Amino acid sequence: GEALRPYFQKFLDSLELPPGVAFTPEAQAVGLSGSGAFIIPAFFEMMLELQRIGRSFSIVFRTYGEDLEDVCREYNAFCEGRHP
């Protein structure tokens, strides 16, 4: 696994909110109370591209922890245009 550590770190870094966003009231209002997000930016980019090309799609979230409510809150904020 050590050979993959740089990729893992890059992934973790992609979840960090920018300094001007982390801990702001806007971030906290959509459930982002810490310094990181629950959903990777590439997921949002994929959804925007699917919408842009007119592709019909469905989203199913699966989690192994107790973070599904947080994930859904962040997803809904993105869909409503409130995601920082």
Side-chain angles (χ1 to χ4, degrees):
E2 193 61 34
L4 298 176
R5 180 160 293 285
Y7 300 103
F8 177 67
Q9 189 58 51
K10 185 176 180 179
F11 171 76
L12 290 180
D13 292 345
S14 76
L15 292 173
E16 287 294 313
L17 296 173
V21 174
F23 305 106
T24 63
E26 294 81 11
Q28 292 176 359
V30 299
L32 301 174
S33 57
S35 63
F38 293 97
I39 301 174
I40 60 173
F43 178 80
F44 293 134
E45 294 295 328
M46 176 196 66
M47 287 189 351
L48 290 172
E49 180 63 15
L50 290 172
Q51 184 181 30
R52 187 189 71 73
I53 64 174
R55 183 71 180 242
S56 177
F57 62 94
S58 299
I59 303 294
V60 177
F61 290 113
R62 172 69 171 102
T63 180
Y64 294 99
E66 297 180 9
D67 56 353
L68 185 58
E69 186 176 325
D70 296 323
V71 171
C72 289
R73 187 178 303 122
E74 183 178 359
Y75 175 76
N76 287 334
F78 174 79
C79 292
E80 295 167 357
R82 300 182 299 115
H83 194 284

